Amino acid sequence: SALAGGGMAYNIGDEAGVTTDGATYEGTVKSFNPEKGWGHIECSDTFEQFGKDVFLLKSQLRNAQAVQKGQRVTFGLTDNGRGPEAVDIQVHNGIGGCGAYTGGMISTPGPGQFVGTIKSFNPNSGWGHITCAQTEQIYGKDIFFMKSQLAMGAIAKGATVSFTVVQGLKGPEAAKIQQMGGCGGGMPMARPPQQQQQQQQQQ
């Protein structure tokens, strides 16, 4: 029984530190109690998976000491059996929905910049891909990017961003990535079936 108990303790500790899928989500702070140090995040993607809001713990805030109701946040996800909990929470400056972004976000791209959509981003591996109609015409594929090029250090799948393109060792890479203000949408983006080819190039 002692061995079984030790095994169970190991499994519980192991599960508690594992994120569900390595994905990054974007949501809105639904509530936060600064005295108790916890609250909840509202996110449509996670609600579809779990049927409830995501638990927010003050200790997981990476760039703020507290949050306010209505603030936009980007976060990872873990589930230790009690339901979805947010981890590595990046707080966006500004409160509210469309057009409320400030700090690290821009409303119009500058000269030489493209506008695209985050197709994928894995915070654990630190890289992802941007899909963009303009760069698709030039390069014929989605644009690879590294986490180091993100102005805010993290980004959610589906976010609209502006970026420049530089030539990396394995082809074009996105640089100077900044999230656009507003609620996404943006330009219609092509989504070519290039994922397998890109994964082979990155390996």
Side-chain angles (χ1 to χ4, degrees), residues 22-201:
T24 304
Y25 300 90
E26 191 169 334
T28 304
V29 176
K30 187 174 184 178
S31 62
F32 182 71
N33 186 325
E35 294 179 1
K36 295 181 179 179
W38 58 269
H40 289 91
I41 299 171
E42 198 170 28
C43 172
S44 59
D45 290 338
T46 55
F47 191 84
E48 287 180 9
Q49 295 181 48
F50 300 97
K52 60 172 68 175
D53 295 325
V54 179
F55 185 72
L56 181 164
L57 202 58
K58 181 180 178 180
S59 62
Q60 290 296 331
L61 295 172
R62 292 293 174 256
N63 62 341
Q65 295 298 314
V67 289
Q68 298 178 36
K69 180 179 178 180
Q71 274 190 298
R72 301 290 293 176
V73 291
T74 302
F75 59 96
L77 204 61
T78 187
D79 185 356
N80 56 15
R82 295 194 297 264
E85 294 186 18
V87 295
D88 293 326
I89 305 167
Q90 295 284 340
V91 182
H92 300 188
N93 293 325
I95 298 176
C98 302
Y101 295 104
T102 59
M105 298 195 184
I106 59 174
S107 57
T108 55
Q113 290 184 313
F114 300 97
V115 176
T117 303
I118 299 296
K119 187 173 184 178
S120 62
F121 175 62
N122 187 325
N124 296 324
S125 62
W127 57 269
H129 289 93
I130 298 172
T131 181
C132 169
Q134 291 171 290
T135 53
E136 163 68 16
Q137 291 178 353
I138 300 171
Y139 301 103
K141 60 182 178 181
D142 296 331
I143 304 299
F144 173 83
F145 72 88
M146 294 295 294
K147 180 180 180 179
S148 58
Q149 295 298 326
L150 293 170
M152 300 186 71
I155 198 76
K157 180 181 177 181
T160 302
V161 294
S162 73
F163 61 99
T164 60
V165 176
V166 297
Q167 282 299 321
L169 295 174
K170 298 181 180 179
E173 295 183 11
K176 300 179 182 177
I177 303 168
Q178 290 185 290
Q179 187 162 343
M180 302 289 287
C183 291
M187 301 164 58
M189 302 299 166
R191 292 183 179 274
Q194 299 281 350
Q195 284 183 307
Q196 292 182 346
Q197 182 181 339
Q198 285 170 289
Q199 289 171 355
Q200 290 170 1
Q201 288 177 351

